[in-house]
Amino acid sequence: MCGIVGYAGGRQALEVVLEGLARLEYRGYDSAGIAVLAGGKISWAKRAGKLGNLQSALAEVPPPAGTVGLGHTRWATHGAPTDPNAHPHTDCSGRLAVVHNGIIENFADLRRDLLARGHVMTSETDTELVAHLLEDEMEQADGARPSLAGAMRAVCRRLDGTFTLVAVDVRDPDVVVGARRNSPLVVGRGNGENFLASDVAAFIAFTKEAAEIGQDQVAEIRADRVTVTDFDGAPVRVRDFTIDWDADAAEKSGFKWFMTKEIAEQPRAVADALIGRVDRDGRIALDEMRLDDEALRAVDRVVVLACGTAYHAGLIAKHAIEHWCKIGCEVQLASEFRYSDPILTRSTLVIAISQSGETLDTLMAVRHAREQHSRVLAVCNVKGSSIPRESDAVVYTHAGPEIAVASTKAFLTQLVSCYVVALYLAQVQGTLYASEIAEVLGHLRRMPDAVEQVLGLMEPVRRIARELAGERCVLFLGRHVGYPVALEGALKLKELAYMHAEGFAAGELKHGPIALIEPGLPVVVVVPSPGDMPVLHDKIVSNIQEVRARGARTIVLAERGDAKVAPYADTMIELPPVPPLLQPVVATVPLQVFACELADARGHDVDQPRNLAKSVTVE
Ligand code: G6P
């Protein structure tokens, strides 16, 4: 949510910042802007709409050359996505520029005060007031002007809410200053150059050496050094890390969309999520797990917290945890958790699932759980992000960078990682025999191949998606682990195709949703294996007959050779046979392809759907 880049070094700042913004555009695309320091002045440009609008403006009127600068892509919170509300924002004198990600909650009081003291605001944003607060700090009455970092620390102490702020000032021309509370900020360490960014993707083309900026810290970057302090100015030691993927991983590599590329990468991503999970004795070993077995043996309840697609991974994980570990598991939307008066104890294990590791709803829920003395295990894709940093333990999903806003490979790796965590818990608690764990692991190892098989059978899915491009509504049905798959299929279609789509537990159909069925309505049904789940299979075949009897057009995802359901499928999408609990790994893939193709057919930007952002760092 909002992408931020800052640069100080020997290259042209404009080029570095634009390259970074292109890689961060997935975080928000309501507007884009840059500022460059050159010749004792700040030059800035900003435009509503996608980065392309800014690039066109800069091609017409290029800013002067300079080697210190910053940039921003916006996901609008305060103020509509217009040119004046685009970042950067400047103070009354135009001597400093600031960009922001987050929401400043005491905005109204601070703005009233600044206006009363004669400051002139030109936007509706909460960000602009930071520029004016910095201006006040830089122009103190006694003339003792602080450094830009000192001014930033003083301003941050007055702000409530969530923010990443990055600023430049002509009076401190070699430095870019960043600050963070709850929103992400990382440092990239180069050779004679340094970077500040919301996400390492912004500088991966220049360096793989990075450093985490902690909560309530201020970072100053110059070409030759990085200095980090807390908001009171005390120096802090940062944790350095090396990025373990290449710039190519964040390129489209010939695919039309990042989403199509990320769907195609799923066999490899699933395989990577499983690497190193089993030791020489065949026992599950989780490297990044920092919870000891004694603590895990005491766990008597699991609470899974997540948002969006990650929440659907949690709903599937619940089945695995309850089935293999015999421990009660509930799954909660992280955004609702803190307000629902949750009952947590020291023996509750909280599992927080997040691709980005920065979703503020999930981060706040994690903090709440830790305050209640529960142990928190993060299942996360982005190394060094806030959620794993603030959890007791982490299992990284190793999906690699996911750029498309709609989550695909991250979801599949969340599933696989949750299965492994559930098996680990079962191993520690002794609820499964070693031979049973080994059998499931064997099935998991065959999942990359199963996903590859599904990807090879997607032509009918693409065809039906294009046929349905003119429809207004699609329903998705499933039972057991197929129900969260149905929810995920519906979410994907809403996100990408802007169609009304709902996922229902197929058994609930008769209790209300069946009233929606009318002739021709497309209904997608996820069917469990007839061999492994015969009773549930029969029930869902009946549910399909019920909607067909009312004229629905049925698109059925079922195991290869499922002759019982075939007569009731207008379109049959075959899935390779896999154990029932693992079926979501293969069944989700056609629904991703379906939504992607349908959105493309409707002429939408598949990677950057309207109003969305990949990483949502506001509550
Ligand atoms: C946003 C994205 C979703 C994502 C959700 C949770 O809403 O648009 O695709 O599932 O955040 O993100 P996380 O990074 O916590 O998995």
Side-chain angles (χ1 to χ4, degrees):
M1 175 142 304
C2 294
I4 291 181
V5 194
Y7 177 75
R11 301 174 206 256
Q12 288 307 314
L14 180 65
E15 284 164 28
V16 177
V17 167
L18 284 176
E19 157 100 33
L21 290 184
R23 292 182 189 272
L24 291 186
E25 207 183 3
Y26 72 85
R27 300 182 65 86
Y29 27 82
D30 287 332
S31 65
I34 56 100
V36 174
L37 281 181
K41 283 169 66 178
I42 291 183
S43 306
W44 48 268
K46 52 192 195 175
R47 286 287 182 280
K50 295 196 176 177
L51 186 58
N53 295 356
L54 175 70
Q55 284 164 322
S56 308
L58 290 168
E60 274 175 35
V61 188
T67 58
V68 172
L70 52 73
H72 187 265
T73 61
R74 178 167 186 243
W75 187 84
T77 54
H78 280 232
T82 59
D83 283 356
N85 288 337
H87 301 209
H89 290 281
T90 52
D91 65 337
C92 296
S93 70
R95 283 187 293 184
L96 64 87
V98 65
V99 292
H100 167 218
N101 169 21
I103 294 179
I104 292 164
E105 282 163 7
N106 52 341
F107 154 84
D109 291 346
L110 291 169
R111 186 179 161 101
R112 203 176 308 114
D113 176 53
L114 285 163
L115 290 173
R117 287 188 295 105
H119 285 272
V120 179
M121 306 271 175
T122 56
S123 79
E124 305 154 276
T125 66
D126 51 351
T127 308
E128 191 183 4
L129 65 90
V130 176
H132 294 274
L133 291 171
L134 283 170
E135 177 184 10
D136 280 356
E137 290 296 329
M138 295 297 276
E139 291 301 325
Q140 286 175 16
D142 59 7
R145 186 173 66 73
S147 64
L148 180 58
M152 181 65 92
R153 285 190 282 268
V155 169
C156 287
R157 290 196 294 268
R158 297 181 60 190
L159 301 179
D160 294 335
T162 62
F163 49 84
T164 297
L165 294 162
V166 170
V168 287
D169 188 302
V170 292
R171 289 156 289 193
D172 226 345
D174 303 326
V175 66
V176 184
V177 171
R180 73 166 288 249
R181 172 179 290 160
N182 296 331
S183 299
L185 181 66
V186 282
V187 165
R189 294 186 189 274
N191 193 0
E193 59 184 353
N194 289 300
F195 307 79
L196 281 170
S198 310
D199 175 337
V200 296
F203 50 75
I204 185 74
F206 305 103
T207 180
K208 291 175 125 192
E209 301 309 318
E212 294 171 0
I213 303 299
Q215 180 74 343
D216 285 3
Q217 291 178 0
V218 169
E220 274 173 273
I221 60 159
R222 293 178 169 74
D224 60 348
R225 63 183 186 278
V226 175
T227 315
V228 184
T229 67
D230 64 18
F231 282 175
D232 292 321
V236 292
R237 274 177 72 98
V238 293
R239 204 183 72 82
D240 287 329
F241 63 101
T242 302
I243 304 159
D244 57 5
W245 47 271
D246 294 319
D248 316 351
E251 306 284 349
K252 277 193 206 155
S253 314
F255 285 88
K256 180 171 182 187
W257 303 108
F258 276 111
M259 185 174 177
T260 39
K261 176 183 173 240
E262 287 159 8
I263 289 172
E265 284 171 347
Q266 293 184 111
R268 188 210 42 78
V270 167
D272 286 354
L274 288 165
I275 287 175
R277 301 302 192 204
V278 184
D279 67 15
R280 280 205 214 118
D281 306 325
R283 289 176 65 80
I284 299 175
L286 297 173
D287 289 346
E288 309 98 337
M289 188 87 146
R290 297 187 299 260
L291 284 179
D292 58 32
D293 286 358
E294 204 182 316
L296 286 178
R297 261 190 291 277
V299 169
D300 58 9
R301 185 161 157 262
V302 177
V303 174
V304 180
L305 302 173
C307 298
T309 289
Y311 172 72
H312 298 151
L315 292 174
I316 293 161
K318 171 187 162 77
H319 285 275
I321 291 166
E322 293 189 337
H323 187 68
W324 292 332
C325 311
K326 310 293 175 224
I327 301 177
C329 175
E330 66 186 85
V331 190
Q332 290 218 24
L333 289 165
S335 53
E336 288 291 313
F337 178 68
R338 281 200 293 160
Y339 311 101
S340 64
D341 215 356
I343 300 157
L344 296 168
T345 67
R346 282 175 201 277
S347 53
T348 307
L349 175 67
V350 170
I351 301 179
I353 309 174
S354 174
Q355 186 285 132
S356 62
E358 298 292 352
T359 300
L360 195 59
D361 289 319
T362 312
L363 179 61
M364 290 307 189
V366 163
R367 285 188 188 158
H368 186 78
R370 294 201 71 204
E371 279 162 17
Q372 313 297 309
H373 309 292
S374 293
R375 287 169 209 261
V376 179
L377 165 69
V379 173
C380 185
N381 192 36
V382 177
K383 277 204 176 152
S385 55
S386 300
I387 292 170
R389 248 191 355 243
E390 297 200 22
S391 299
D392 297 288
V394 56
V395 170
Y396 284 113
T397 55
H398 302 296
E402 192 179 67
I403 310 292
V405 165
S407 188
T408 53
K409 63 176 180 171
F411 176 71
L412 256 55
T413 58
Q414 283 163 356
L415 291 182
V416 169
S417 303
C418 286
Y419 293 136
V420 173
V421 167
L423 290 174
Y424 187 73
L425 204 52
Q427 174 179 283
V428 172
Q429 297 222 344
T431 51
L432 285 182
Y433 291 114
S435 58
E436 293 171 309
I437 294 176
E439 192 188 336
V440 182
L441 283 172
H443 289 302
L444 280 172
R445 279 196 212 95
R446 287 191 284 279
M447 293 316 283
D449 186 46
V451 174
E452 193 78 66
Q453 286 178 42
V454 178
L455 288 171
L457 297 169
M458 286 301 93
E459 221 22 69
V461 176
R462 291 196 190 93
R463 204 172 39 244
I464 186 98
R466 293 204 168 259
E467 273 174 43
L468 297 180
E471 293 292 332
R472 292 181 49 228
C473 174
V474 180
L475 300 187
F476 293 75
L477 306 179
R479 300 184 83 130
H480 189 249
V481 289
Y483 170 45
V485 173
L487 292 176
E488 176 59 10
L491 177 65
K492 280 281 164 290
L493 207 60
K494 281 183 240 196
E495 284 180 306
L496 300 175
Y498 318 149
M499 286 167 81
H500 177 227
E502 294 295 335
F504 295 110
E508 278 297 293
L509 203 65
K510 55 189 176 292
H511 299 298
I514 201 161
L516 293 170
I517 306 292
E518 50 189 45
L521 181 82
V523 178
V524 179
V525 193
V526 185
V527 177
S529 159
D532 292 320
M533 305 198 94
V535 177
L536 212 55
H537 181 273
D538 285 354
K539 298 248 183 291
I540 209 160
V541 171
S542 304
N543 298 143
I544 296 173
Q545 285 172 281
E546 286 155 18
V547 296
R548 264 199 129 215
R550 289 159 177 86
R553 174 176 181 172
T554 56
I555 301 146
V556 173
L557 278 66
E559 196 171 283
R560 193 163 52 228
D562 183 342
K564 267 190 172 174
V565 80
Y568 310 109
D570 292 309
T571 305
M572 180 88 161
I573 312 295
E574 291 192 336
L575 302 174
V578 297
L581 276 172
L582 308 189
Q583 198 204 37
V585 179
V586 286
T588 307
V589 176
L591 303 185
Q592 298 167 342
V593 173
F594 180 67
C596 180
E597 196 73 18
L598 221 153
D600 186 71
R602 285 163 79 103
H604 297 166
D605 184 332
V606 168
D607 288 334
Q608 297 181 342
R610 72 181 178 204
N611 304 338
L612 296 180
K614 184 147 193 72
S615 173
V616 181
T617 51
V618 293
E619 271 186 282

